[in-house]
Amino acid sequence: MLKDVESWLSTRSWSLTDRPLHKLMAAKRSTGSTVSVVLPALNEEETVGEIVAIIRHDLMQQVPLVDEIVVVDSGSTDRTSAVAAAAGARVVHRDDILPRIPAVPGKGEVLWRSLLVTSGDIVCFIDADLREFSSDFVTGIVGPLLTDPGVDLVKAMYDRPLGGASGQGGRVTELMARPLLNMHWPQLAGFVQPLGGEYAARRSLLEQLPFPVGYGVELGMLVDALHLVGLDALAQVDVGVRKHRHQDGQALGRMAAAIYRTAQLRLARGHLIRPALTQFERGRDGFQPRTYSVDTEERPPMSEISEYQRRKAA
C-alpha cells in the first residue's frame, strides 16, 4: 500500500462514535449547512418505508439534522412511491425531472437527476433496499462534512454478511472494483466499500462531476473526485453492518461489466469495441446465450445544465 494511503487511513477513516450527534447539530448551526437525503428506488416497497420513517423520526423530528428526504422513483411497478410518501418522503418520479432530456434506465441516472430536485448543501445518498436500517448510516457519513471543511465526499464502510457468513458480501467489489482501483488508482485502495451506495458529498463537488448512468456511478464518482479535489478531501466512516437484498450471479456480471466500462473510459477515454456482455442460461435445449448491452452513456456535470444554472441563480 502507498505511504500516502497508509497516512490517509489514519487521518480520514473514522468511526461513527467519533462525532456524537450533539456535535453534528452544533456544527450544523454554526455553518448553516442544509442536508438532503436521497433514496433512489426501483420496486423497493418492502424496505423504503421503514428507511424513510426512521430518518424522519430520528433526524427530522427528534433533532433537525436532515432538512429533506427525497425518494426518486425510477419506474417502480409496485407500491414504492405510495409507501415512501406515506412514510413522510417527498416522492419525485425520474421522468418528471428535466423532461427535455429523455431518461435512461440506471441508478446513476437517478442520482444525477436528484440534484435538480434537492436543495441541500450536503447531499446524502442511501440505497432503498437496506434492511434493519439505522439512522447511524446518515449521521456517520454526513458528520465529517459538517465538522471538517476540508472533506468533500464521505463513503460509508461496513461489514456485508452473505447467507449468514460475515464479510462475504460485496462480490463485485472484491472481484472487479478493488483490483481495478489497486492497479490503476492505488490512491483509492484504502476504501473499504468503494461501490457502496451510502455516501454523502458537498453539492459543490457533485455538480462538477459527470455521472455514469448505470452501476458504474460509484466507481466513476470516486475516481473523478480524486482527480478533482484530491485524496485528502475524501473520507470514510465505519457505520457497522449493512444488510440488503443480494443480486444473483448474472446480475452481478452485468454490474461488473458496467463498472469495467466506467474504468475503461477513465483510463483511456477511448472507443468501446463491443459494449455488450453475453451470459448463458440453461434452457430445454442446453445453454442459451443472452446478450445485454452495457450502458455507455454518461451525464455531464450538472453545473453545465441550463435548468440547474437558472435554479442556482434564482
Side-chain angles (χ1 to χ4, degrees), residues 27-44:
K28 179 178 169 69
R29 287 191 293 268
S30 66
T31 61
S33 298
T34 53
V35 178
S36 298
V37 175
V38 173
L39 279 71
L42 176 62
N43 296 328
E44 302 294 356

Side-chain angles (χ1 to χ4, degrees), residues 214-227:
Y215 285 118
V217 62
E218 275 85 22
L219 183 133
M221 191 177 293
L222 265 187
V223 171
D224 293 339
L226 174 68
H227 288 292

Side-chain angles (χ1 to χ4, degrees), residues 174-225:
E174 300 303 330
L175 297 175
M176 176 59 71
R178 200 176 308 286
L180 283 171
L181 292 176
N182 275 264
M183 288 187 289
H184 299 297
W185 296 281
Q187 282 187 299
L188 298 175
F191 276 95
V192 175
Q193 297 291 352
L195 300 185
E198 291 69 45
Y199 49 98
R202 300 191 192 280
R203 178 176 294 272
S204 56
L205 171 63
L206 293 172
E207 66 187 13
Q208 297 181 68
L209 299 177
F211 276 60
V213 298
Y215 285 118
V217 62
E218 275 85 22
L219 183 133
M221 191 177 293
L222 265 187
V223 171
D224 293 339

Side-chain angles (χ1 to χ4, degrees), residues 129 171 215 244-252 254-255:
D129 66 343
R171 291 162 287 173
Y215 285 118
H244 66 113
R245 171 174 45 81
H246 292 283
Q247 302 278 1
D248 63 37
Q250 293 208 332
L252 295 179
R254 297 191 289 275
M255 291 171 62

Side-chain angles (χ1 to χ4, degrees), residues 29-162:
R29 287 191 293 268
S30 66
T31 61
S33 298
T34 53
V35 178
S36 298
V37 175
V38 173
L39 279 71
L42 176 62
N43 296 328
E44 302 294 356
E45 67 176 1
E46 294 184 4
T47 50
V48 68
E50 182 179 7
I51 297 171
V52 169
I54 289 172
I55 296 172
R56 184 172 177 80
H57 175 268
D58 293 359
L59 304 179
M60 296 183 81
Q61 296 172 344
Q62 295 286 92
V63 294
L65 183 72
V66 170
D67 297 278
E68 63 177 347
I69 306 174
V70 179
V71 171
V72 183
D73 191 325
S74 57
S76 297
T77 56
D78 65 2
R79 298 181 61 253
T80 290
S81 290
V83 170
R90 176 161 61 93
V91 178
V92 185
H93 292 271
R94 176 199 62 195
D95 296 353
D96 294 334
I97 307 171
L98 200 61
R100 73 171 176 86
I101 300 179
V104 298
K107 180 183 180 182
E109 178 82 353
V110 174
L111 301 184
W112 181 72
R113 289 175 187 263
S114 75
L115 297 181
L116 261 169
V117 294
T118 54
S119 58
D121 304 307
I122 295 169
V123 183
C124 173
F125 298 118
I126 300 290
D127 279 351
D129 66 343
L130 301 188
R131 301 180 185 278
E132 300 179 28
F133 178 77
S134 167
S135 58
D136 289 346
F137 274 71
V138 176
T139 57
I141 56 181
V142 166
L145 295 164
L146 288 171
T147 60
D148 190 334
V151 174
D152 287 327
L153 184 149
V154 182
K155 298 279 291 189
M157 57 177 166
Y158 34 67
D159 185 37
R160 297 180 66 179
L162 176 64

